[in-house]
Amino acid sequence: MTMHAAVLDSIGSTPRYDSAVPVPTAGPGQVRVKVELAGLNPIDLTMAAGTFPGPLPAAPNVVGREGIGTTDDGRRVYFAGTVAPHGSLAEYTIVEDGPNLIQVTDDLDARHAVAFGIAGMAGWISTVWRGAVTPDDVVLVLGASGVVGQVAVQAARIAGARQVIAAARSEAGLTRALELGADTAVRLADDLDHDGLVAAFRDAVVVGDVTLVIDPLWGAPAAAAIEALGPNGRLVQLGQSAGAELTLRSGWVRQTNTEIRGYTNKLTPREVVVAEYGAMLEAADAGDLELEVEELALADIGLAWERQESSPGVKLVIRP
Ligand SMILES: NC(=O)c1ccc[n+]([C@@H]2O[C@H](COP(=O)([O-])OP(=O)(O)OC[C@H]3O[C@@H](n4cnc5c(N)ncnc54)[C@H](OP(=O)(O)O)[C@@H]3O)[C@@H](O)[C@H]2O)c1
């Protein structure tokens, strides 16, 4: 039996649509999932390019890490993390029968299930759990135009943060962040040097200091955000869209008791993931949390890849 899938032939190439890939078989401790809708994420691109800072699945492989579907034994599940070489951008995939599976209801909107999966968790859990946002916080969300940043802005607003500052390069992305509940927008303009960016972050604060930074960017914007933090501030580092490195001055951290906390969905305790995923879906159902979703066909994987490379600011999902 064969199926349709997006296949990466070699690290550094772009996946191609293949209509005759063998349907995978589950091994011990694994389940086969018939995929209803899959999500595309920056991690799929960095893994395919070989630039992901972690273990890479060997090529050839089927790309994609997350989706919603039905197991062979009839459970409807959201899953994040597949068993290589079986990715989620396919009619069937293989998942460990464990923490990577979250059972969901039959009436759950598949688009919500995927939109608030990898990207949603990174934006929401980094803010409410790792960042431990409170109503006393002035939260600066870097990359607020991206899907992770849009969720972080809304998580901070829903948690009642005193002020939510959205920072991004794109004007359209900043307009959307304000619509989603940010109080203030800061443009990461090309002509702002480090000192200009620090001043822009500080000037954006209405009362007090920036106390919490949610950072999917690293690079120059994160360096400026660290310097802009007030005493006992914290920065949650979860991505590197602006660069894998930055120059960090000791004084920016030492003089202010600044704390830099790493965040990865992978190391978040399962009970936190399940509870916060549920909280996100509830908020989305109530119309309090939103993320624009764009659906593409599996046969259009080349186009989907290009869209994701361009930081589209919408959650891309693929229907196999
Ligand atoms: N730690 C985790 O568990 C986890 C989970 C999911 C995602 N992530 C990471 O989080 C990051 C964001 O993911 P996403 O899904 O939100 O991606 P996305 O929707 O593609 O958004 C990318 C964001 O990065 C910004 N950006 C890209 N290049 C930039 C640059 N050179 N300088 C400044 N800003 C730049 C974009 O800004 P403009 O729109 O303004 O151009 C946009 O805000 C990625 O690095 C991803 O790998 C981490």
Side-chain angles (χ1 to χ4, degrees):
M1 228 170 54
T2 60
M3 64 174 186
H4 302 244
V7 176
L8 183 78
D9 290 316
S10 59
I11 300 294
S13 68
T14 300
R16 63 180 170 79
Y17 171 68
D18 191 328
S19 61
V21 174
V23 170
T25 312
Q30 303 173 345
V31 286
R32 182 165 60 186
V33 180
K34 183 171 183 358
V35 182
E36 185 183 333
L37 196 68
L40 192 58
N41 290 285
I43 190 175
D44 300 318
L45 275 66
T46 52
M47 279 189 156
T51 54
F52 178 69
L56 293 176
N61 64 62
V62 174
V63 296
R65 314 264 315 146
E66 69 170 339
I68 182 170
T70 308
T71 59
D72 281 356
D73 61 8
R75 289 173 282 161
R76 192 169 189 238
V77 292
Y78 165 78
F79 59 92
T82 53
V83 178
H86 311 294
S88 62
L89 270 58
E91 287 177 87
Y92 291 89
T93 191
I94 303 292
V95 184
E96 298 287 353
D97 195 1
N100 291 351
L101 288 177
I102 299 179
Q103 191 151 354
V104 297
T105 56
D106 287 345
D107 61 355
L108 174 63
D109 180 335
R111 288 175 162 228
H112 278 179
V114 176
F116 300 112
I118 289 179
M121 288 176 195
W124 180 279
I125 303 178
S126 65
T127 305
V128 304
W129 179 72
R130 196 71 171 126
V133 63
T134 76
D136 291 331
D137 276 313
V138 172
V139 184
L140 168 59
V141 179
L142 303 180
S145 51
V147 289
V148 168
Q150 290 176 50
V151 173
V153 162
Q154 295 175 86
R157 188 246 307 146
I158 292 168
R162 182 143 51 93
Q163 188 186 352
V164 183
I165 302 168
R169 298 180 302 185
S170 127
E171 286 285 8
L174 286 176
T175 303
R176 186 172 32 217
L178 291 169
E179 287 162 5
L180 293 174
D183 302 293
T184 318
V186 173
R187 175 119 201 278
L188 301 177
D190 284 342
D191 58 356
L192 280 181
D193 62 7
H194 175 84
D195 291 344
L197 212 44
V198 174
F201 291 153
R202 287 187 173 146
D203 290 349
V205 180
V206 177
V207 178
D209 297 297
V210 175
T211 60
L212 172 62
V213 178
I214 303 300
D215 170 34
L217 301 184
W218 206 235
I226 290 168
E227 188 176 0
L229 269 168
N232 302 304
R234 58 234 194 259
L235 174 138
V236 182
Q237 180 2 252
L238 61 111
Q240 54 180 61
S241 293
E245 293 174 9
L246 59 71
T247 300
L248 189 60
R249 287 220 175 145
S250 156
W252 302 344
V253 178
R254 185 181 71 247
Q255 299 292 2
T256 41
N257 265 2
T258 290
E259 217 185 307
I260 298 177
R261 302 178 183 175
Y263 174 81
T264 170
N265 286 338
K266 230 175 26 195
L267 291 180
T268 306
R270 172 158 170 93
E271 64 274 17
V272 174
V273 170
V274 172
E276 297 303 342
Y277 185 59
M280 269 189 287
L281 293 175
E282 224 171 84
D285 218 27
D288 208 19
L289 175 66
E290 51 187 90
L291 201 50
E292 196 182 329
V293 172
E294 181 180 321
E295 188 172 316
L296 294 107
L298 187 55
D300 290 328
I301 182 61
L303 174 65
W305 212 252
E306 276 174 29
R307 288 281 292 138
Q308 185 59 58
E309 267 168 348
S310 72
S311 299
V314 298
K315 178 71 199 176
L316 299 180
V317 297
I318 311 281
R319 198 168 288 273

